[in-house]
Amino acid sequence: MSDSHSIPVDGESVAAEHHPAAGDRWLVFCHGFLSDKSGSYEARCERAVEEGYDAVRFDFRGSGDSDRPFVESTLSTRLADLRAVVDYFEPTSYALFGSSFGGKVALHAATDDRVEAVAKRAPVTYNRAFDDYRAAVADAGELRIDDGHAIDGRFFDDFEQYPFADVSDAIDVPVAMFHGASDTSVPIADTFEAAATLDTDVMVSKFDGEGHRFSAAAERRLLDRLFAWLSER
């Protein structure tokens, strides 16, 4: 079971679901670039509750049930959304889990003093992961990814303010990264390179034969490994 919340951010609203649990540990989930808080995030939150975590999943503005068109969303707006969600629920401390572009959001939010650990699945770390999108926008002015998603120069004007190097030395909490060895969207080599660069404890878990989207079996293994890792924090 979960409780629905509408959280104000800069005159708009972010839709969030809180899955309550007994205890004082919190886990906040950040969805990927073209996804939303539904689907696998509901199952992840339910597993988190079983493990004793208050869990929160939410839609970044431009996605799901939250306000604003997708084309007006940037990394900065996503970071503002995450901050608003955390401030709304007021956990003393919390862990972050981000998938794909949500991993990029979690990475740049990890300098919050309340963050105790960061886990990421198939994460975007280096901005070069978006080079193809950048080239398409530079050529046409806008890239329409599908019927509901488009980006333009505003996204990249903002995105370039967030290089990986800005946070690689600043993050001092444990980091876990789960990545499919056959991922053709975000190369697993980026995860290994980032892990070697981060100046903190890092665990990398490679899932052989898995792509950017994990199979149901891999998702179960991911959650087992995630909560085993978090239990050691």
Side-chain angles (χ1 to χ4, degrees):
M1 294 182 61
S2 63
D3 304 319
S4 299
H5 299 262
S6 180
I7 300 172
V9 186
D10 298 331
E12 298 176 311
S13 78
V14 164
E17 294 289 325
H18 172 220
H19 297 248
D24 60 358
R25 303 195 75 179
W26 288 73
L27 182 55
V28 180
F29 290 87
C30 300
H31 67 74
F33 194 58
L34 303 179
S35 61
D36 57 39
K37 68 180 185 303
S38 63
S40 59
Y41 291 95
E42 183 172 4
R44 289 167 182 167
C45 285
E46 290 172 351
R47 173 65 183 274
V49 170
E50 292 175 7
E51 299 286 343
Y53 289 83
D54 275 88
V56 178
R57 56 189 170 98
F58 67 97
D59 290 325
F60 291 115
R61 279 176 292 168
S63 302
D65 298 319
S66 293
D67 288 344
R68 93 166 29 201
F70 182 87
V71 72
E72 295 178 7
S73 299
T74 62
L75 181 50
S76 287
T77 67
R78 289 169 171 83
L79 286 165
D81 296 344
L82 175 56
R83 285 192 297 269
V85 167
V86 172
D87 289 346
Y88 179 87
F89 290 105
E90 297 184 311
T92 302
S93 62
Y94 64 99
L96 283 169
F97 180 98
S99 279
S100 193
F101 197 73
K104 177 77 168 172
V105 178
L107 182 75
H108 287 271
T111 53
D112 182 348
D113 290 340
R114 294 168 292 181
V115 174
E116 59 184 6
V118 177
K120 307 187 290 179
R121 189 201 66 81
V124 172
T125 49
Y126 297 97
N127 290 14
R128 61 179 178 249
F130 271 60
D131 279 353
D132 288 346
Y133 281 2
R134 183 186 291 104
V137 168
D139 182 58
E142 179 182 270
L143 171 64
R144 182 155 296 280
I145 302 166
D146 56 36
D147 288 343
H149 302 94
I151 55 174
D152 59 23
R154 291 172 291 181
F155 176 84
F156 287 105
D157 289 343
D158 178 84
F159 190 52
E160 295 310 315
Q161 299 177 47
Y162 298 97
F164 175 71
D166 278 5
V167 293
S168 59
D169 293 333
I171 294 174
D172 59 3
V173 298
V175 175
M177 293 188 278
F178 308 92
H179 211 133
S182 301
D183 192 337
T184 58
S185 296
V186 181
I188 192 173
D190 285 3
T191 283
F192 285 118
E193 182 178 342
T197 303
L198 288 168
D199 192 20
T200 188
D201 290 344
V202 182
M203 179 189 77
V204 176
S205 189
K206 182 182 79 167
F207 287 71
D208 192 43
E210 297 292 330
H212 195 62
R213 293 182 180 274
F214 278 17
S215 65
E219 175 72 14
R220 289 191 294 271
R221 295 200 306 274
L222 181 155
L223 292 177
D224 289 343
R225 295 177 190 181
L226 169 65
F227 288 105
W229 177 78
L230 285 172
S231 71
E232 299 172 355
R233 309 280 68 82

